[in-house]
Amino acid sequence: MQNSTWRKRLAVLSVAALGVTSALSAGANTEYPTEEVNTTGLAVTDDTVEVGILHSLTGTMAISETGSVEAEQLAIRQINESGGVLGRQIEPVIEDGASDWPTFAERASSLLERDNVAAVFGCWTSASRKAVLPVFEEQNGLLFYPTFYEGLEASPNVFYQGQEATQQIIAGLNWVHEKESPDTYYLIGSDYIWPRTSHAIARHHIENVLGAEVVAEQYFPLGHTNFRSAINQIRLRDPDVVYSIIAGDSNVSFWSQMDSAGINADNQTVLTNSVTEDEVQAIGASNVEGHYSAMKYFQSLDNPNNEEFVREFKEMHGEDSVIGDVTQAAYLGPWIWKRAVEKAGSFDVDKVREAAHGMELDDVPEGYVRVHDENQHLWSKLRIGQWQSDGTAKVVYESELIEPDPFPEDVDIDIDDFE
């Protein structure tokens, strides 16, 4: 495990890498005195406030989570350059969950108990979120979670920036049903909580609402690289739609092997809610061309907020960098937290939580979001992107704003069955 000295050094280096200069005032912060804005022992001084960044920088999930770290770094740099939060510069303490759920729990505990960070921006998989959730609830920490997920959760200690099942899974299936009137579906996913629970929701909707049939359902471990048996099943079953929830770098093998086997957009409709620009960059655009992803954000969105975001992201992380759905959602986390802190006039978790309820953001890359008063998810739109030969997504469908409903009445699924 990383020792305290190394971790503090990483935090300082991270701030320096962002081009941030901490405030150099010699006296107390007279406008927002520390003893008034920090009454619960958080890592807040007159000049600085520490936050945690907790993602997989190594392991099978790094392909997906690196973009989240980059987006959170960009948001923190922008916030610091604009004056910080209540007159304080943000200093991130970066931890590597290493694609291992117990490690995520250990790192979360360190951030909250040893570093006393004011908030944590992190996790990607539902397995990692479930692993850290007891830590945040016990310590009354605040987690900003950026990933689309299965729903069936609403913790007062988590703000959910990604879409839940009704906004993405069900809305996406409704779109493909309307477009192609499919009779049969083949479900494939990685073998952990999110894909299994998501497919249970998808199966219920396909069979009970859309009146279609699930002809097969298969799961493979994270990091799996040989999908020939699945591809043979797809050929044998000949489904109208393949619905994929494969996570991490397994996508590289799955999509390239599909294409090599001659299964492409000309002869097979594939809809996924686990492939963003981050994964496409590694998969290769030719392997996914013509297929569809159901997301709330694509880098190609045409609006001034997104154009500025893409430009600044590439300036910071390189012209070849790409921005996927979760990356954009991760970017929202520090901004939601900053505005809630300033509205509350305090870094105290309970006050920040209350201040964030109902908050509206109309200057974000995806266009507009609103924090739900009760479940702390975001109102957002679903978009269907069709992948192009250059790795970008052409938006072929955009919904109205969808209210988050993480506990839909007609879905009778116990998530504990999948843990």
Side-chain angles (χ1 to χ4, degrees):
M1 180 176 291
Q2 302 167 353
N3 61 49
S4 181
T5 302
W6 187 90
R7 295 168 73 251
K8 293 295 183 182
R9 184 181 302 120
L10 177 57
V12 172
L13 290 173
S14 298
V15 174
L18 297 178
V20 173
T21 303
S22 296
L24 300 175
S25 58
N29 188 319
T30 56
E31 186 174 3
Y32 300 104
T34 300
E35 63 273 14
E36 294 182 9
V37 301
N38 177 32
T39 68
T40 57
L42 299 173
V44 179
T45 71
D46 290 342
D47 301 328
T48 63
V49 53
E50 289 189 3
V51 301
I53 291 179
L54 176 60
H55 288 288
S56 295
L57 302 178
T58 56
T60 188
M61 291 309 302
I63 182 178
S64 299
E65 296 192 59
T66 300
S68 296
V69 177
E70 293 174 341
E72 288 153 0
Q73 288 177 321
L74 173 60
I76 289 170
R77 188 189 74 177
Q78 292 173 335
I79 291 168
N80 282 338
E81 290 177 346
S82 66
V85 183
L86 296 185
R88 292 162 174 83
Q89 297 283 284
I90 303 172
E91 293 187 348
V93 181
I94 300 177
E95 289 282 17
D96 181 10
S99 305
D100 178 71
W101 322 143
T103 299
F104 266 93
E106 293 173 5
R107 299 294 187 252
S109 181
S110 294
L111 287 168
L112 295 177
E113 296 182 39
R114 183 162 60 185
D115 292 302
N116 299 312
V117 296
V120 176
F121 308 100
C123 298
W124 201 101
T125 67
S126 285
S128 63
R129 188 193 70 256
K130 286 293 187 182
V132 306
L133 186 58
V135 178
F136 279 88
E137 292 184 337
E138 180 180 346
Q139 298 298 322
N140 196 29
L142 209 53
L143 172 67
F144 287 81
Y145 176 64
T147 315
F148 41 81
Y149 84 117
E150 69 280 352
L152 307 178
E153 179 181 298
S155 170
N157 295 92
V158 182
F159 281 92
Y160 305 82
Q161 296 124 253
Q163 294 185 310
E164 44 75 32
T166 66
Q167 297 171 305
Q168 186 188 35
I169 298 169
I170 292 176
L173 289 171
N174 286 344
W175 170 81
V176 77
H177 180 77
E178 181 71 21
K179 178 179 180 290
E180 300 196 2
S181 300
D183 293 319
T184 55
Y185 290 77
Y186 167 91
L187 310 184
I188 184 169
S190 296
D191 193 5
Y192 69 97
I193 298 171
W194 170 53
R196 283 192 172 270
T197 310
S198 296
H199 276 329
I201 294 169
R203 176 186 280 273
H204 178 277
H205 192 69
I206 289 166
E207 295 176 341
N208 296 285
V209 179
L210 303 180
E213 179 186 2
V214 174
V215 296
E217 185 173 345
Q218 285 188 288
Y219 297 94
F220 298 88
L222 279 169
H224 190 74
T225 59
N226 187 344
F227 289 93
R228 291 181 179 84
S229 65
I231 292 170
N232 287 336
Q233 281 293 310
I234 292 170
R235 283 173 162 165
L236 177 66
R237 302 285 185 169
D238 191 25
D240 295 323
V241 173
V242 172
Y243 188 59
S244 173
I245 311 181
I246 293 173
D249 57 9
S250 290
N251 276 295
V252 177
S253 299
F254 173 69
W255 288 94
S256 63
Q257 288 167 25
M258 285 273 283
D259 189 67
S260 295
I263 300 176
N264 53 52
D266 291 333
N267 53 47
Q268 178 66 67
T269 298
V270 182
L271 176 65
T272 176
N273 63 350
S274 59
V275 171
T276 74
E277 284 84 347
D278 297 283
E279 288 78 21
V280 169
Q281 187 178 52
I283 294 168
S286 62
N287 293 317
V288 296
E289 184 178 358
H291 294 301
Y292 302 99
S293 284
M295 302 286 166
K296 68 172 183 172
Y297 171 87
F298 293 99
Q299 183 177 310
S300 57
L301 289 187
D302 184 14
N303 69 66
N305 298 333
N306 189 49
E307 290 174 3
E308 181 179 0
F309 169 58
V310 171
R311 177 180 57 77
E312 295 195 16
F313 188 94
K314 288 180 175 290
E315 284 180 358
M316 183 173 183
H317 297 295
E319 190 60 33
D320 292 335
S321 60
V322 296
I323 305 166
D325 180 282
V326 184
T327 299
Q328 189 265 169
Y331 175 75
L332 304 183
W335 286 105
I336 293 172
W337 174 74
K338 165 190 162 62
R339 295 181 188 185
V341 168
E342 293 177 341
K343 181 180 177 182
S346 173
F347 291 99
D348 294 351
V349 167
D350 292 339
K351 296 176 182 177
V352 172
R353 177 192 300 114
E354 183 64 26
H357 289 173
M359 181 178 296
E360 298 178 274
L361 294 86
D362 60 4
D363 56 354
V364 297
E366 66 183 90
Y368 170 87
V369 295
R370 181 162 81 245
V371 180
H372 199 278
D373 289 325
E374 297 177 2
N375 58 50
Q376 297 184 175
H377 292 65
L378 299 183
W379 294 65
S380 60
K381 297 180 178 182
L382 174 78
R383 296 175 172 96
I384 302 294
Q386 184 177 39
W387 295 107
Q388 306 297 298
S389 60
D390 61 357
T392 63
K394 177 183 178 182
V395 177
V396 296
Y397 169 79
E398 179 176 293
S399 74
E400 298 296 322
L401 203 65
I402 304 174
E403 179 178 6
D405 181 13
F407 298 98
E409 291 183 3
D410 63 338
V411 176
D412 185 19
I413 293 173
D414 187 349
I415 194 170
D416 292 337
D417 294 340
F418 299 92
E419 293 187 31

